[in-house]
Amino acid sequence: MGFTLEGPVLEGALVRLEPLEHRHAADLAVAAEEDRSSYRFTWVPTAAEAEEYVDAQLARAAAGKMAPYAQVDRATGRAVGATSYWDPRLWPEGDRLRAIEVGFTWLAASAQGTGVNTEAKYLLFRHAFENWDVARLDLKTDARNGRSRAAIEGVGARFEGVLRNWSQSWAPGEDGRLRDSAIFSITAAEWPHCRAALEERMGRDLERRRGRQREAGLLAQG
């Protein structure tokens, strides 16, 4: 029996990754319009494009190429961004996954820097290595996107190099052009160390969020 790429619900303390559906489109439309200044190199729909965006991702899922997710903030229950498993590569016998990419990731401005991205990556990585038993997980971004490259390295992936003219550009005004892609990866042998580092970082993120909540509560009482 062949492998079928299907992503289950993945639950964390800050974020719940839910398989993308049309019911998420309204939240994503709001999230995408908060502040678009950080989306220069990333495919993020405008509010008017949210339904079309979901259609496109679900079409990739139907073709077996993607398992798309909505990133749902557990505190509000609202979708604040999207991410996905992408480009599955199988062992020759075709019934086991050899490698997978995590990509098509974006977050609302208000969710950036809150720990949501770190925890979402942790959930995706853990499932890939510990449930699918992949040998490799990779991530890529526009080689010019320094912010994205720093974020990828921050979750423990190792930079491998730049592939020139690797994929289409998502930058405004570059329709039909190709981009250079910076490639990062984590291998199965590296995952235990990466997991420990991510768990330590998530603990700090969660404590900071709780601290802000306690401070807000005291200010409200005052």
Side-chain angles (χ1 to χ4, degrees):
M1 185 174 180
F3 175 83
T4 301
L5 181 60
E6 294 178 348
V9 173
L10 300 173
E11 189 102 21
L14 303 178
V15 65
R16 183 172 61 254
L17 299 182
E18 299 178 356
L20 184 66
E21 298 179 7
H22 278 285
R23 64 186 175 86
H24 297 115
D27 283 352
L28 294 179
V30 173
E33 294 294 345
E34 284 187 2
D35 178 0
R36 299 189 62 85
S37 62
S38 65
Y39 299 150
R40 181 181 173 192
F41 300 109
T42 306
W43 180 35
V44 180
T46 63
E49 296 167 339
E51 290 285 352
E52 180 182 348
Y53 171 85
V54 174
D55 282 338
Q57 299 299 67
L58 293 181
R60 290 182 170 91
K65 298 178 179 178
M66 173 182 282
Y69 282 100
Q71 301 194 63
V72 177
D73 187 322
R74 290 196 59 191
T76 64
R78 296 183 64 85
V80 293
T83 190
S84 71
Y85 288 119
W86 167 245
D87 189 23
R89 282 97 74 198
L90 305 182
W91 290 103
E93 60 270 24
D95 61 350
R96 292 189 300 127
L97 190 62
R98 174 176 56 84
I100 192 77
E101 180 177 333
V102 169
F104 289 89
T105 300
W106 62 272
L107 280 171
S110 61
Q112 296 175 22
T114 64
V116 166
N117 178 64
T118 301
E119 188 176 72
K121 291 294 193 300
Y122 171 80
L123 294 170
L124 292 164
F125 295 175
R126 186 179 66 182
H127 185 78
F129 284 113
E130 300 181 14
N131 292 84
W132 287 335
D133 196 27
V134 299
R136 168 192 170 92
L137 183 144
D138 41 78
L139 307 97
K140 66 177 183 286
T141 188
D142 193 305
R144 298 167 295 179
N145 193 342
R147 181 173 183 172
S148 178
R149 291 175 66 159
I152 292 171
E153 289 184 323
V155 294
R158 181 178 297 186
F159 175 61
E160 294 186 328
V162 173
L163 299 179
R164 296 176 297 167
N165 287 351
W166 181 250
S167 60
Q168 77 178 84
S169 173
W170 298 108
E174 294 187 358
D175 291 351
R177 292 177 57 183
L178 295 174
R179 75 178 196 190
D180 295 346
S181 292
I183 308 297
F184 300 78
S185 71
I186 302 167
T187 66
E190 294 166 344
W191 169 238
H193 175 75
C194 180
R195 174 175 178 158
L198 284 171
E199 288 175 348
E200 180 179 351
R201 180 175 173 179
M202 288 189 302
R204 295 195 301 267
D205 288 341
L206 187 58
E207 186 54 37
R208 279 196 294 269
R209 175 176 281 208
R210 287 171 175 167
R212 288 194 294 268
Q213 290 172 340
R214 287 193 294 268
E215 182 178 348
L218 290 172
L219 289 173
Q221 291 176 14

